[in-house]
Amino acid sequence: MRLTTKGRYAVTAMLDLALHGAAGPVTLADIAFRQGISQNYLEQLFGKLKRARLVISLRGPGGGYALACKPEEISVSAIISSVGEGVDATRCGGTSDCQDGLICLTHELWSDLSHRIDEFMSAISLASLVARDEVKLVSHRQDCDTQRRIEARAVG
Amino acid sequence: MRLTTKGRYAVTAMLDLALHGAAGPVTLADIAFRQGISQNYLEQLFGKLKRARLVISLRGPGGGYALACKPEEISVSAIISSVGEGVDATRCGGTSDCQDGLICLTHELWSDLSHRIDEFMSAISLASLVARDEVKLVSHRQDCDTQRRIEARAVG
DNA sequence: GCAATACCCGACTAGAACACTCAACTAATC
DNA sequence: GATTAGTTGAGTGTTCTAGTCGGGTATTGC
Ligand code: FES
Ligand code: FES
């Protein structure tokens, strides 16, 4: 089991998309700017998100990315799986054969744990994240920040 | 958050200790043999387990390792933490400052998740693992296997 | 048609971590 | 004093992360 920046970035970017996608497609440049993520790295992640059919893309000027379906239908679990960060905590990957082809002492434990984690993350959708107070707060702060930085750049 | 072979080995070895420690100290060679883990690698892990006061060591012939306290008092969470595999799923490590010193959009989500995982693993003790049917079964198979391999070596 | 925008794609890389391995040492027992 | 068994530190191959870079191609507006 591993949960690294890859999965976290993917969820963060998708949440950004859910928050700012109402007015039309959102560019990766915008997301990268707001969330402080490398745009080139985001491109890699969105390649996977697109292949997993979680987002759709629109090319050309005025283009960008949009959610492929309603925020209620996209779970955190799905996002993380799509970028290749398995929720699986077992060593065998579910095949029960990590000790010379036989089941090991602790397989059941890791299997249970995996199940718990998946349950938790499947129950959380983008919509439920958007509805959270802290998310609203942080998002508002980010928007003000972005506005300020744009103005600063226009002046300078 | 990461859960790799390191943490899994640590739990497996501790469980082996709980299963076979009744008759006195258990050597790393025994654990390595039964569980199919590199003995040298186990040495490193037991160094940490000892520093975390989860096991005690006895040197010399007839020596080995023993649990430092009762199996009911040792949780899976404690074992994993002791070898340095944080259960923490946040990027900031709890300081809420991963985006330029400010809290990021998804901090709360990862914080929640970490809490859930820790709750789950804290609730599971070595004693409760020993009591499980699958563990008993696998352990019995391992003992038979070990016996067979010893006999095979004696013959050969 | 032409240029600007923005997604698309593959290759490359520094650094970190994992999963070991090796060698030498000390303490305890018989 | 020989054997057992824990203790320690250093080193190593491999894999992965978290990027970077450089070039594409589709779409739009002039
Ligand atoms: S983790 Fe599945 S068999 Fe060991
Ligand atoms: S994960 Fe804690 S601030 Fe981003």
Side-chain angles (χ1 to χ4, degrees):
Chain A
M1 148 108 218
R2 52 183 200 274
L3 176 53
T4 66
T5 308
K6 200 198 297 190
R8 280 192 289 254
Y9 278 176
V11 174
T12 304
M14 288 293 281
L15 184 51
D16 187 274
L17 214 54
L19 286 162
H20 297 91
V26 183
T27 67
L28 287 189
D30 283 356
I31 300 178
F33 191 67
R34 267 194 298 264
Q35 306 301 331
I37 305 174
S38 149
Q39 183 179 342
N40 288 334
Y41 194 37
L42 270 185
E43 282 178 7
Q44 283 181 39
L45 299 182
F46 271 81
K48 297 184 181 186
L49 289 171
K50 196 190 171 183
R51 246 164 280 146
R53 294 171 188 275
L54 291 178
V55 296
I56 50 173
S57 63
L58 288 141
R59 301 170 83 138
Y65 285 96
L67 296 179
C69 42
K70 280 181 279 182
E72 301 90 60
E73 290 165 1
I74 301 175
S75 73
V76 171
S77 174
I79 297 171
I80 289 180
S81 311
S82 76
V83 294
E85 299 225 306
V87 187
D88 190 19
T90 63
R91 179 168 151 83
C92 56
T95 49
S96 306
D97 61 353
C98 87
Q99 193 184 0
D100 288 329
L102 297 168
I103 194 166
C104 73
L105 258 187
T106 45
H107 173 86
E108 178 103 352
L109 172 62
W110 311 125
S111 181
D112 272 14
L113 177 60
S114 308
H115 191 235
R116 286 293 189 97
I117 295 174
D118 192 51
E119 225 171 34
F120 177 71
M121 297 208 294
S122 292
I124 298 177
S125 68
L126 282 184
S128 71
L129 283 177
V130 169
R132 288 193 188 189
D133 283 341
E134 329 88 45
V135 172
K136 284 183 198 164
L137 222 70
V138 174
S139 178
H140 182 249
R141 191 207 75 213
Q142 287 178 344
D143 287 347
C144 296
D145 255 33
T146 304
Q147 198 57 36
R148 263 218 314 283
R149 280 198 284 169
I150 288 171
E151 281 162 15
R153 210 160 54 173
V155 170
Chain B
M1 151 107 218
R2 51 182 200 274
L3 176 53
T4 65
T5 309
K6 201 198 296 188
R8 281 192 289 254
Y9 278 177
V11 175
T12 304
M14 288 293 282
L15 184 51
D16 187 274
L17 213 54
L19 286 162
H20 297 91
V26 182
T27 67
L28 288 190
D30 282 357
I31 299 179
F33 191 68
R34 266 194 298 264
Q35 305 302 331
I37 306 174
S38 149
Q39 184 179 342
N40 288 331
Y41 195 35
L42 271 185
E43 284 174 5
Q44 284 179 37
L45 298 182
F46 271 79
K48 296 184 183 188
L49 289 170
K50 197 190 171 185
R51 246 164 280 146
R53 296 171 186 277
L54 291 177
V55 296
I56 50 174
S57 63
L58 287 140
R59 301 170 84 139
Y65 285 96
L67 295 180
C69 40
K70 279 180 279 183
E72 301 91 59
E73 290 165 2
I74 301 176
S75 72
V76 171
S77 174
I79 298 171
I80 289 181
S81 310
S82 76
V83 294
E85 299 225 306
V87 186
D88 190 19
T90 64
R91 179 169 151 82
C92 57
T95 49
S96 304
D97 60 353
C98 87
Q99 192 183 359
D100 288 329
L102 296 168
I103 194 168
C104 73
L105 258 186
T106 45
H107 173 85
E108 177 103 353
L109 172 64
W110 312 125
S111 181
D112 273 14
L113 176 61
S114 308
H115 191 234
R116 285 295 189 95
I117 295 174
D118 192 51
E119 226 170 35
F120 177 71
M121 296 208 295
S122 293
I124 299 175
S125 68
L126 282 183
S128 71
L129 283 177
V130 169
R132 289 192 188 190
D133 282 341
E134 327 89 45
V135 172
K136 282 183 200 165
L137 222 72
V138 174
S139 177
H140 182 250
R141 190 207 75 212
Q142 287 178 343
D143 287 347
C144 296
D145 255 33
T146 304
Q147 198 57 36
R148 261 217 316 280
R149 280 197 285 171
I150 290 171
E151 280 163 15
R153 210 159 53 172
V155 169

